[in-house]
Amino acid sequence: MSFPWAQHYAPKHPVTQWLDERLPLPRLVYNAVGAGYPVPRNLNYFWNFGVLAGAALGIQIITGIILAMHYAANGAIAFDSVESIMRDVNSGWLLRYAHANGASFFFIVVYLHIFRGLYYGSYKAPREMVWLLGVVIFLLMMATAFMGYVLPWGQMSFWGAQVITGFFSAIPVVGDPIRIWLLGGFAPDNAALNRFFSLHYLLPFVIAGVIILHIWSLHIPGSNNPTGVDVKGPQDTVPFHPYYTAKDGFGLGVFLIAFSTLLFFAPNLLGHPDNYIPANPLSTPAHIVPEWYFLPFYAILKAFTFNFLWIPAKLWGVMAMFGSILLLFFLPWIDSSPVRSTNYRPLYRWFFWMLVADVLALGYLGQAEPSTFVVFASQVCAAYYFAHFLIILPIVSRIERPLPLPNSITESVLHGEKAEAAPFGTQTA
Amino acid sequence: MLRLFGPLIAPIVGLGFIAALVLAILTTSWEAEPPTAAHHFHLAPKPLHLASDGPLGKFDRQQLQRGFQVYKEVCSACHSARLVAFRDLQEIGFTNPEVKAIAKNWATEVPSVNPETGEPATRKALASDYIPSPYANETAARAANNNALPPDLSLITKARHGGAAYVHSLLTGYQNPPAELLEKFPDAKPSGTLHYNPYFANLNIAMPPPLAADGQVTYADGTKATIDQMAQDVSAFLVWTAEPKLENRHRTGIAVLIFLLIATTLAYMSYQNIWADRKH
Ligand code: HEM
């Protein structure tokens, strides 16, 4: 596919030859994740997270399908059916905790995957389509996780659904009818619970489909690498198998260790206690917060408190929250610097880390008890978020003078500058 | 169009959002929020150490049985534990005949139907029944508790920040409101049917102090039933009701981690081995 020196699939056994002539599935696998896919030799551990995201999706689908065999999507018994999974179903507690914490780990690895792409400029030409499909996956993941969180029908499930579907009522005129249509009623109830369950079952398979497109489009130009320099010849690459299968295998082990530690020893750490209280439409929790992975966006939503230009604050908040994700679609055209890797972008590097700090701060503010200071800090951080992508980045990418790039991946590896391949390399010249 | 995005459209959209935020900041009123009594007087739970804590934690069955006794003799007068079946009590060390006797002698009977007339009726609980609520329904529960609702306790240690430590602190935290509170926040004085408890979110709880005197229950194993002891025991019991599979989870976790550590070490060695001839 990508490079002329890619190894060719040559089945030796008559059975595999027979199969290859009729349904070349092994050939497809060989070219996609086997020896037939040449990959830059200098990828660091940040390139493990794509495969880890795939593994997390696999864990979610397998545990989810078994959970669905025992779960009842009915407002009267949903909560108890989940508790029955925890108590009566063989290893049900394991399935449920794996699925709940698996969602968190899915987001952890995808956030690292996204920031890897941001740091190494993987969104730039010729990989724009990889990035665009990635953002589509991210949006689908958010929808899936939101609907999944509603299913146990605890207090946070119910009130989270109430708040999130309430966004639609911010739309002028048609907002409320849309919200009622989406929910199938005036408030989340059986109708909403059932359609959420149906979609929650469907979307992971849609995600799986988009991942296939994501990887297909990646394999046209091939993977980026920590220097951001294009592959120039065979000496720059190694075959995916066995080199990166071995490395990804090790990464998967580390991932599973971290995942199991949380799953077996602190399975409720990332959850909210209120979700162990059955949903009660008559009792609003003191403090409604979404799952941790939505907190930065929730902070942006709440930061808008001023009716500006005749647009009500709530609508600004909703637009900004969606805008903060949708702007990622335009990133390849906002950042006009031809240099990919931030290792060679001395000015942008500062702003990259500022953005990381800003998103972490927004995450903290998203769950903090609202006070004048918290609202003020969210406003500053939200403003910085938009300033980063929509103002700073277009300017920086024009005025910055990048550091000299290595002539090739191999040169960068062989002249011993390990730092160049190291994550967030520290070299200066 | 896309080429215009960077230099033109992006900054305009960005400035719109930023202007809305800057105006919001400029119009912020920095008047200090009025302090609330809960802000000043609410306390975080006291630390509580239970045998089930930590990655190797196991239940102390003796303590769970004592905790069950406190639940049965005190709390069950007002609180249900509807996710726990009597038969589950075998997991904390009661024998089958003991469980049957506990169910049969339970203070509240379970709803049933009169087999002759079909009228609603009650019958003695069986081992397979779930621990019933002392009240027929929410209205009855509220009527008996000055309009407050005693929550079901099955999941309470997972449904509150602080878990078992919170329950323990709540049960032992009843006291007279401090003079300073009454002085600064006269409105925060507990009204007639409420009780001051600094561990409760709004400081005034409708539950009367359930553990009021040492020796309120008599433990069969000879443990001295101080208020603190009873509170610890019932908190430990409520950890079990909320997470009956805890020991199994810990044991499985240790085995899985040992397996993963070995597998990951092997994976690391194979990774190093495969890459040995490649500088990277
Ligand atoms: C379900 C979630 C996802 C899965 C399973 C997944 C899977 C993968 C895999 C296996 C790779 C190749 C290995 C690697 O470079 O790490 C990859 C590359 C990439 N992904 Fe994802 N991905 C997901 C989500 C996303 C998201 C949300 C984004 C961005 C918004 C994204 C952006 C990228 C980019 C830009 C690359 C190319 C990286 C490079 O060559 O340097 N992906 N993805």
Side-chain angles (χ1 to χ4, degrees):
Chain A
M1 222 184 323
S2 50
F3 300 113
W5 58 88
Q7 294 178 34
H8 285 282
Y9 180 64
K12 291 194 190 69
H13 197 277
V15 173
T16 43
Q17 281 169 350
W18 182 89
L19 185 62
D20 188 47
E21 282 158 20
R22 286 158 183 83
L23 178 73
L25 191 61
R27 175 180 294 272
L28 183 82
V29 173
Y30 181 92
N31 288 334
V33 290
Y37 178 50
V39 189
R41 60 193 290 178
N42 62 338
L43 302 189
N44 60 38
Y45 282 115
F46 281 91
W47 267 258
N48 281 44
F49 289 101
V51 166
L52 295 183
L57 181 69
I59 294 174
Q60 292 309 90
I61 290 182
I62 292 169
T63 53
I65 288 178
I66 308 176
L67 285 172
M69 298 173 187
H70 303 280
Y71 170 77
N74 176 312
I77 52 175
F79 185 91
D80 286 3
S81 78
V82 171
E83 274 308 314
S84 145
I85 291 172
M86 294 292 285
R87 290 155 195 269
D88 305 329
V89 173
N90 290 333
S91 299
W93 58 270
L94 176 58
L95 290 168
R96 182 187 172 222
Y97 279 153
H99 199 74
N101 288 291
S104 281
F105 270 78
F106 200 170
F107 277 94
I108 292 174
V109 294
V110 164
Y111 279 131
L112 287 164
H113 189 69
I114 294 176
F115 276 98
R116 184 280 316 263
L118 286 175
Y119 187 88
Y120 293 110
S122 301
Y123 50 86
K124 294 183 186 182
R127 292 180 191 81
E128 300 97 318
M129 188 52 83
V130 189
W131 175 260
L132 297 181
L133 291 166
V135 181
V136 170
I137 294 171
F138 183 47
L139 286 169
L140 287 169
M141 278 177 67
M142 295 180 98
T144 311
F146 158 65
M147 288 189 277
Y149 193 58
V150 176
L151 301 184
W153 213 233
Q155 274 289 67
M156 278 300 159
S157 301
F158 178 88
W159 291 96
Q162 180 82 308
V163 170
I164 305 230
T165 55
F167 296 161
F168 290 95
S169 52
I171 305 171
V173 189
V174 291
D176 267 316
I178 291 185
R179 171 168 186 272
I180 292 166
W181 178 71
L182 286 174
L183 280 176
F186 295 103
D189 204 346
N190 245 343
L193 185 58
N194 267 288
R195 64 189 60 179
F196 282 9
F197 181 43
S198 170
L199 293 173
H200 183 71
Y201 208 138
L202 169 69
L203 287 189
F205 297 94
V206 178
I207 294 178
V210 184
I211 288 174
I212 292 176
L213 301 183
H214 183 68
I215 296 178
W216 186 8
S217 65
L218 170 69
H219 285 195
I220 306 295
S223 294
N224 185 22
N225 69 84
T227 65
V229 173
D230 284 332
V231 167
K232 304 249 162 69
Q235 70 285 1
D236 287 345
T237 66
V238 291
F240 188 83
H241 180 71
Y243 288 93
Y244 284 107
T245 40
K247 190 169 180 179
D248 285 335
F250 169 57
L252 184 63
V254 175
F255 167 79
L256 289 176
I257 289 175
F259 176 47
S260 306
T261 306
L262 200 72
L263 156 57
F264 289 106
F265 302 114
N268 294 307
L269 185 71
L270 299 174
H272 197 289
D274 279 19
N275 229 24
Y276 280 108
I277 306 171
N280 181 353
L282 301 179
S283 144
T284 318
H287 191 51
I288 303 176
V289 278
E291 291 278 81
W292 69 266
Y293 33 80
F294 295 136
L295 289 174
F297 306 104
Y298 194 55
I300 291 179
L301 171 83
K302 289 189 302 177
F304 287 80
T305 54
F306 187 78
N307 305 333
F308 173 53
L309 291 180
W310 305 280
I311 300 178
K314 186 177 172 193
L315 184 53
W316 272 109
V318 172
M319 290 193 314
M321 188 184 63
F322 286 108
S324 65
I325 302 168
L326 296 183
L327 61 78
L328 295 176
F329 278 119
F330 298 95
L331 188 58
W333 296 277
I334 295 177
D335 180 356
S336 59
S337 166
V339 175
R340 295 195 189 100
S341 172
T342 304
N343 284 353
Y344 304 95
R345 301 186 61 185
L347 187 56
Y348 173 70
R349 186 185 300 167
W350 291 99
F351 292 105
F352 173 85
W353 288 112
M354 288 277 285
L355 178 72
V356 173
D358 188 63
V359 172
L360 291 176
L362 281 169
Y364 171 79
L365 295 164
Q367 55 80 52
E369 299 263 354
S371 68
T372 314
F373 178 75
V374 165
V375 175
F376 166 75
S378 322
Q379 287 162 343
V380 173
C381 291
Y384 184 80
Y385 182 92
F386 288 105
H388 171 92
F389 285 105
L390 300 176
I391 296 174
I392 297 174
L393 198 52
I395 297 177
V396 165
S397 55
R398 275 179 180 71
I399 63 170
E400 180 175 56
R401 284 200 45 209
L403 303 173
L405 296 175
N407 288 325
S408 75
I409 292 173
T410 305
E411 188 193 284
S412 133
V413 172
L414 288 191
H415 69 27
E417 285 187 21
K418 250 204 133 81
E420 281 175 14
F424 317 124
T426 47
Q427 88 298 335
T428 44
Chain B
M1 168 66 192
L2 278 175
R3 273 198 291 115
L4 279 185
F5 199 86
L8 200 65
I9 302 173
I12 292 176
V13 175
L15 283 173
F17 285 129
I18 293 166
L21 286 166
V22 168
L23 285 169
I25 292 174
L26 292 180
T27 52
T28 302
S29 99
W30 281 94
E31 268 168 52
E33 294 130 66
T36 63
H39 252 112
H40 286 265
F41 292 90
H42 181 260
L43 297 179
K46 297 172 279 190
L48 171 70
H49 300 288
L50 295 176
S52 53
D53 294 347
L56 296 168
K58 286 196 172 63
F59 290 122
D60 172 351
R61 292 206 157 46
Q62 215 51 49
Q63 182 176 40
L64 297 193
Q65 294 189 16
R66 291 196 304 269
F68 169 69
Q69 189 184 346
V70 176
Y71 169 73
K72 182 178 89 165
E73 293 179 16
V74 184
C75 322
S76 73
C78 304
H79 292 280
S80 58
R82 61 185 191 92
L83 298 173
V84 182
F86 288 104
R87 61 175 144 75
D88 295 336
L89 293 170
Q90 290 187 42
E91 289 169 30
I92 65 170
F94 289 103
T95 62
N96 193 12
E98 279 170 339
V99 165
K100 284 188 177 153
I102 290 170
K104 193 160 152 242
N105 301 326
W106 199 255
T108 1
E109 298 202 323
V110 298
S112 90
V113 173
N114 182 319
E116 264 124 49
T117 64
E119 294 288 316
T122 61
R123 60 160 171 79
K124 292 203 175 306
L126 300 171
S128 55
D129 284 318
Y130 287 81
I131 296 185
S133 168
Y135 306 108
N137 50 47
E138 183 178 333
T139 313
R142 287 190 186 275
N145 288 284
N146 296 310
N147 205 30
L149 181 67
D152 183 85
L153 290 185
S154 327
L155 283 168
I156 201 81
T157 52
K158 290 206 292 199
R160 293 290 182 280
H161 286 287
Y166 168 72
V167 175
H168 169 251
S169 293
L170 189 74
L171 293 175
T172 53
Y174 287 89
Q175 50 192 263
N176 290 326
E180 199 194 337
L181 172 96
L182 299 179
E183 204 179 291
K184 279 201 193 144
F185 304 96
D187 294 348
K189 182 171 158 32
S191 69
T193 57
L194 297 180
H195 308 267
Y196 184 75
N197 191 322
Y199 298 99
F200 191 61
N202 69 14
L203 307 178
N204 293 319
I205 187 167
M207 168 166 70
L211 302 174
D214 290 352
Q216 196 168 338
V217 302
T218 311
Y219 284 139
D221 66 1
T223 308
K224 207 163 162 277
T226 60
I227 291 183
D228 192 72
Q229 184 67 44
M230 291 184 289
Q232 288 198 23
D233 292 348
V234 77
S235 306
F237 172 69
L238 293 173
V239 171
W240 173 76
T241 61
E243 186 86 358
K245 297 293 191 287
L246 176 139
E247 290 180 330
N248 198 348
R249 168 156 68 73
H250 286 174
R251 242 183 296 120
T252 316
I254 298 289
V256 168
L257 277 188
I258 291 174
F259 167 79
L260 283 176
L261 282 172
I262 296 172
T264 307
T265 312
L266 291 175
Y268 182 73
M269 286 157 65
S270 114
Y271 160 48
Q272 291 298 318
N273 190 26
I274 285 169
W275 281 82
D277 62 335
R278 295 280 163 150
K279 206 162 179 235
H280 64 290

